[in-house]
Amino acid sequence: MIRACTVDELPPGESVRLPGSPAIAVFHTEAGELYAIDDTCTHQDASLADGWLEGCFVECPLHAALFDLRTGVPSCLPAKDPVRTYPVVVDEGVIYVEGTAREDAA
Amino acid sequence: MKRVAVVGASLAGVRAAQELRAQGYDGGIVLIGEERHLPYDRPPLSKAFLAGAASQASLELLDAGDLASLALDFRLGVRATALEPAARRVLLSDGGSVHADGVVIATGGRARTLPGFEGAHTLRTLDDALALRAALVPGVRVVIVGAGFIGAEVASTCRSLGLDVTVLEALDAPLAPALGPRLAAVCARLHADHGTDLRCGVRVEGLSEAGVRLADGSLVPADVVVTGVGMTPATEWLAGSGLKVGNGVHVDAGLVTELPQVVAVGDVAHYHVDGVGRRHEHWTNASEQAPVAVANLLAGRTERTYTPSGYVWSDQYSGTIQLAGHPRPDDTLSFVDGDPSSSSFVAVWQRDGATVGVFALNNAKLFNRLRRPLRRPVGV
Ligand SMILES: Cc1cc2nc3c(=O)[nH]c(=O)nc-3n(C[C@H](O)[C@H](O)[C@H](O)COP(=O)(O)OP(=O)(O)OC[C@H]3O[C@@H](n4cnc5c(N)ncnc54)[C@H](O)[C@@H]3O)c2cc1C
Ligand code: FES
């Protein structure tokens, strides 16, 4: 389990990058859901935590590939490969990411 | 509509084919492409692919799953030689023809060449990139004519390979007409900071055995010469079709030609809004025009219009440059984060108090926040 931050530190619409290998991006959607995915876009070297959050999709800040935060699957070019997704848990107001990726998206 | 011919099997053509399926069209799609390769993406040709860091397979725009689901009738290695609208026919260079009720023109363009530079490298296709890559062996001196996006990217890649690079540019600063003097100076600095010898205000005359001859009589020694001086829209095959061409295929604001069953997308599309014609030579434009053009093709008339984002990126040396909007030389430029001497900054252009363009160097997050409002359709 990786500690991300407290819920208060990540208001809806915001994202945070957790450095590491791989780096992980955690998103808090406007609808109040929390998602974690690999931070590095599978197309090139962009940080998805810097991307634009729209519903449960994030748009890559470099070339606008859209990733579904629930599955990690890109819904448009130029990215073709999915990013891995990670389970997120909240415990006593703190957001944690489970370090091992969900296999279904990989 | 039973069959659509998409002419040009690159980004715009592929996106159009995908959109046809996404918008429910279940007839035949014939995808005609002059190159013998499966559709591939061009931006890496001047970057990772040229550097040898990306494989040919990684360039492919369609994977096996896409190929199966799109059910395309590929005609690769074949050029369209004429369009006969009355007969609803596209003639092909192999002597065959394709009968189609709808046509998507997506023929992009070819690298412009300079007189006197026959035999120099250009960079537009995968084959061009393979040829240039093979020439970039250790120790060669590279001279690039033109400091536009492609010239700058090739210079950057060559420097990353440890090669000696000189860039010859006719303007006083790279990209000055598009970016204005302050940002052009930033682009010039990127070259200087990375050991590229950028020479501006230079008139080139031609190629000789030893290198590039300049108008002042001097010679710039070179083993490999690349010209990066823009492209010419590929419209020659439309001669005699009755369609209006001239710096691209002329289309309305919905990318439809005078014929409702013929649309154009991507680098070749010269579209008109309020009487003003415009063409873009950038990835995002080719991708974003497809849904609009296809919707209008399927509707049989212009129902949707295209709003360009003007978005361009370019990777040069340690920098990612991003530009959006359509700034004009008389707009006011101001720096909202960092300044032109920083390694990361964002600048905006304003006109009558409104932001009309955003430029960033290594600052993707803020760039995307600021460009959002630019992307909203402005009621065209
Ligand atoms: C080296 C390079 C780097 C680039 N980097 C960037 C970048 O970093 N950022 C960015 O925003 N944009 C970049 N671009 C621009 C981007 O790649 C183009 O805007 C995009 O490829 C346009 O797609 P298109 O399908 O309209 O045209 P094209 O990609 O030019 O494709 C047209 C296709 O049609 C075929 N064709 C032409 N005539 C015929 C005919 N008569 N019959 C059959 N087929 C025909 C051609 O062979 C070609 O394959 C780059 C371009 C190049 C060349
Ligand atoms: S780096 Fe993410 S889409 Fe290109």
Side-chain angles (χ1 to χ4, degrees):
Chain A
M1 298 269 266
I2 306 161
R3 184 184 188 279
C5 57
T6 65
V7 178
D8 293 343
E9 286 165 337
L10 192 68
E14 290 296 325
S15 51
V16 63
R17 177 175 187 272
L18 311 180
S21 59
I24 294 172
V26 185
F27 297 88
H28 193 174
T29 68
E30 295 289 353
E33 313 266 12
L34 289 165
Y35 295 101
I37 61 174
D38 275 338
D39 183 53
T40 308
C41 180
T42 55
H43 176 239
Q44 262 179 29
D45 202 13
S47 164
L48 292 173
D50 284 350
W52 187 264
L53 186 58
E54 191 109 53
C56 51
F57 289 85
V58 62
E59 186 188 86
C60 174
L62 280 195
H63 316 129
L66 264 190
F67 290 90
D68 188 330
L69 297 174
R70 298 162 297 189
T71 61
V73 176
S75 62
C76 72
L77 285 171
K80 289 176 283 181
D81 299 322
V83 285
R84 281 171 299 187
T85 62
Y86 302 84
V88 181
V89 288
V90 177
D91 185 33
E92 296 190 356
V94 177
I95 302 168
Y96 296 92
V97 174
E98 270 177 38
T100 36
R102 271 186 205 144
E103 284 305 320
D104 55 346
Chain B
M1 212 172 279
K2 289 209 188 82
R3 195 195 266 159
V4 174
V6 179
V7 187
S10 179
L11 179 63
V14 162
R15 289 284 297 115
Q18 287 173 327
E19 278 301 321
L20 280 164
R21 294 298 183 224
Q23 295 185 27
Y25 170 76
D26 62 2
I29 303 177
V30 186
L31 187 56
I32 303 160
E34 183 177 8
E35 295 180 72
R36 58 198 163 79
H37 308 288
L38 276 172
Y40 60 86
D41 209 16
R42 280 175 218 280
L45 298 181
S46 51
K47 311 174 183 88
F49 184 75
L50 188 61
S55 68
Q56 194 167 324
S58 72
L59 304 182
E60 280 176 7
L61 287 170
L62 299 167
D63 63 23
D66 300 322
L67 289 173
S69 64
L70 292 172
L72 304 174
D73 175 358
F74 269 115
R75 309 287 168 89
L76 295 179
V78 180
R79 190 161 39 85
T81 52
L83 174 67
E84 296 182 340
R88 306 204 156 221
R89 207 157 54 166
V90 177
L91 305 189
L92 304 178
S93 56
D94 63 1
S97 67
V98 170
H99 180 93
D101 318 300
V103 175
V104 179
I105 298 171
T107 44
R110 303 175 208 289
R112 211 158 72 78
T113 50
L114 286 177
F117 281 83
E118 293 75 21
H121 288 269
T122 53
L123 184 54
R124 180 80 198 172
T125 65
L126 178 54
D127 292 334
D128 292 341
L130 289 169
L132 179 56
R133 196 161 91 174
L136 298 177
V137 295
V140 294
R141 292 161 305 174
V142 183
V143 172
I144 297 160
V145 179
F149 285 128
I150 290 191
E153 291 180 1
V154 171
S156 149
T157 300
C158 289
R159 286 297 300 145
S160 76
L161 296 172
L163 303 173
D164 196 50
V165 183
T166 304
V167 177
L168 305 174
E169 168 60 56
L171 298 168
D172 289 336
L175 297 158
L179 300 179
R182 291 175 80 190
L183 295 175
V186 171
C187 295
R189 190 193 80 214
L190 288 177
H191 288 291
D193 286 353
H194 293 85
T196 293
D197 181 6
L198 170 70
R199 303 190 200 166
C200 292
V202 171
R203 298 191 58 81
V204 297
E205 205 159 72
L207 212 55
S208 77
E209 283 278 291
V212 175
R213 280 183 287 111
L214 304 184
D216 66 6
S218 60
L219 179 92
V220 183
D223 303 303
V224 177
V225 176
V226 186
T227 52
V229 292
M231 65 82 132
T232 313
T235 54
E236 67 295 328
W237 66 284
L238 294 167
S241 66
L243 292 183
K244 192 164 172 219
V245 296
N247 186 22
V249 182
H250 290 229
V251 288
D252 68 10
L255 306 160
V256 182
T257 66
E258 298 94 316
L259 303 168
Q261 74 277 18
V262 181
V263 298
V265 282
D267 283 16
V268 80
H270 184 113
Y271 67 95
H272 291 76
V273 180
D274 298 333
V276 183
R278 208 185 238 166
R279 202 168 54 72
H280 303 266
E281 297 170 8
H282 303 298
W283 197 97
T284 305
N285 173 71
S287 185
E288 291 180 348
Q289 283 187 335
V292 177
V294 162
N296 293 334
L297 181 69
L298 294 176
R301 62 196 178 89
T302 302
E303 288 191 335
R304 283 176 62 184
T305 56
Y306 173 64
T307 307
S309 62
Y311 177 53
V312 191
W313 77 84
S314 177
D315 300 315
Q316 301 176 19
Y317 306 102
S318 51
T320 292
I321 289 173
Q322 293 178 288
L323 166 68
H326 303 279
R328 293 195 307 233
D330 53 340
D331 295 330
T332 317
L333 182 74
S334 56
F335 288 78
V336 290
D337 182 49
D339 63 68
S341 65
S342 357
S343 56
S344 156
F345 67 79
V346 180
V348 298
W349 284 275
Q350 290 184 305
R351 189 183 310 156
D352 305 329
T355 298
V356 291
V358 186
F359 181 97
L361 175 67
N362 292 329
N363 198 334
K365 186 163 192 165
L366 186 57
F367 173 83
N368 280 297
R369 296 216 159 168
L370 293 172
R371 88 160 164 129
R372 270 306 119 170
L374 298 180
R375 298 175 88 186
R376 290 205 196 100
V378 278
V380 247

